Amino acid sequence: PEGSDAMAPDPKDVIQKLGLLAIQSLTFASRADADASEVTFAINAPESERTGLLALMDGANDLSATPPAFVPADIAGFSRTRVDLKDVVTRVENLIKEIVPPVGGMLQFMMAGVGKDQDPQFDLRRDFINQLGDDVITLVKAFDDATLEAVTSQQQLFLLGSPQPEKLQYALGILSSMVPADVFKKSERDYKGSAILSFEAQLPEEVQTPGFNGLHFATKEGYLAISTLSSTLESFLTAERVDRPLSRDPAFRAAAEANGGTDTGMLTYENMRLTTAPLFDVLRTDESIRSIVDEALQNLIDDHAPVDPEAAA
């Protein structure tokens, strides 16, 4: 229509190219018993018609999400997603080009120049996008103890599979030049033979961020490891062989088999005895939290207390 933005895509065209027209039904179901709970969300779309967003997860179901041998049985939480990240980025690029061609062209132009000021030989596609693998893992360690400090500083580790994780880490160092220096302070150091790249948040002294002192990166065993706590990353780098891996734990294997097995491309596991129970202990015993809850309850009571007509007069 006259006066409309020439770059604005047709909504119908967008829906079609995103592949949403292929969806025939959506299903959600949940069940629970004394041993476990299960939630199922299903999208019914013919495989031959899956394009756009629906095609992003194609192939994931063909890969194993079994916990690697370095994941211990006493881990509090574990998740693994087998999706080809390089392919996802490429598909998203192509979608943008199809839906809004001018934006796609500008995106390609910008990508070609990224990082050249730091390294003239740097190529974003070759050195970063093409180094993305098909494995994304999250590890959550048990709380050190049932205290507020421990709960707010829970150790988490993220792992990105890569054919050359060292290139990914180098690329992140190059891309960091796009972030203002007063936001994150970049540093690199050697830790027992491993290179650690850190971006420490430049926050005012009065701002407290428990469980976060920046973003820290290192490589090990085909993964780029990422954590918000440098101590968590260091523990991963120096961890020795695991005697009791999660993949061989009888309770884990029974739960996995009862819910479709581990060859589904995606798996999430949580040991609630190590995650939820300590939280309730803290809520029950920590004096600072109890005082906050008591004050909130008292304010709620005061706000809803009946007004004495004589006192109001």
Side-chain angles (χ1 to χ4, degrees):
E2 186 176 350
S4 63
D5 187 349
M7 292 182 63
D10 185 336
K12 293 182 180 179
D13 190 43
V14 172
I15 293 175
Q16 180 179 7
K17 288 179 177 177
L18 289 177
L20 301 183
L21 294 179
I23 298 176
Q24 296 183 351
S25 65
L26 301 174
T27 305
F28 176 84
S30 65
R31 69 174 183 83
D33 55 32
D35 297 321
S37 60
E38 178 182 356
V39 175
T40 302
F41 178 72
I43 300 176
N44 181 20
E47 187 173 357
S48 60
E49 298 179 25
R50 294 175 196 167
T51 59
L53 295 179
L54 296 184
L56 294 182
M57 291 299 293
D58 279 356
N61 289 347
D62 299 329
L63 300 173
S64 173
T66 300
F70 58 77
V71 180
D74 61 353
I75 198 75
F78 165 83
S79 70
R80 190 177 192 184
T81 302
R82 303 301 306 273
V83 58
D84 190 334
L85 295 178
K86 179 179 67 175
D87 183 59
V88 168
V89 172
T90 302
R91 287 175 183 262
V92 170
E93 278 187 82
N94 291 336
L95 273 177
I96 294 174
K97 292 175 187 177
E98 290 181 19
I99 295 172
V100 194
V103 174
M106 287 190 293
L107 183 63
Q108 276 194 313
F109 177 78
M110 292 172 61
M111 289 174 62
V114 168
K116 296 294 186 184
D117 57 329
Q118 300 294 310
D119 180 355
Q121 302 302 316
F122 180 74
D123 184 285
L124 181 64
R125 187 172 302 282
R126 180 195 65 207
D127 299 326
F128 184 75
I129 296 175
N130 287 353
Q131 303 309 320
L132 296 172
D134 61 3
D135 201 356
V136 182
I137 293 176
T138 301
L139 301 175
V140 181
K141 291 191 175 183
F143 299 119
D144 292 332
D145 48 55
T147 63
L148 180 60
E149 182 180 359
V151 167
T152 55
S153 302
Q154 188 173 31
Q155 300 183 60
Q156 297 190 50
L157 188 73
F158 304 92
L159 303 176
L160 294 180
S162 170
Q164 299 186 77
E166 295 79 11
K167 279 196 172 184
L168 269 185
Q169 183 166 321
Y170 174 75
L172 288 172
I174 294 293
L175 296 174
S176 68
S177 63
M178 303 173 64
V179 181
D182 59 349
V183 177
F184 284 101
K185 178 184 177 182
K186 173 188 170 184
S187 64
E188 297 179 75
R189 61 188 175 94
D190 177 85
Y191 180 76
K192 298 184 178 181
S194 297
I196 294 182
L197 172 67
S198 295
F199 300 101
E200 296 182 20
Q202 303 298 290
L203 300 172
E205 292 184 2
E206 63 273 13
V207 177
Q208 300 295 319
T209 56
F212 175 83
N213 57 17
L215 288 173
H216 310 276
F217 304 83
T219 63
K220 182 179 180 181
E221 299 181 8
Y223 290 96
L224 175 68
I226 309 165
S227 181
T228 58
L229 292 171
S230 57
S231 58
T232 301
L233 192 63
E234 292 170 0
S235 296
F236 174 71
L237 293 174
T238 57
E240 298 180 354
R241 181 179 178 275
V242 174
D243 293 328
R244 290 182 56 246
L246 179 64
S247 59
R248 296 182 184 176
D249 182 71
F252 167 79
R253 295 178 65 173
E257 289 303 319
N259 289 277
T262 59
D263 294 328
T264 56
M266 299 180 68
L267 185 145
T268 298
Y269 163 83
E270 180 183 358
N271 185 337
M272 299 188 72
R273 287 195 300 269
L274 301 177
T275 56
T276 306
L279 288 176
F280 284 110
D281 289 340
V282 171
L283 292 173
R284 186 179 67 254
T285 61
D286 191 272
E287 292 296 333
S288 60
I289 291 184
R290 289 180 61 181
S291 63
I292 293 173
V293 173
D294 289 343
E295 182 179 354
L297 290 175
Q298 188 59 52
N299 290 337
L300 184 63
I301 293 172
D302 293 342
D303 290 341
H304 293 81
V307 179
D308 186 343
E310 294 183 2

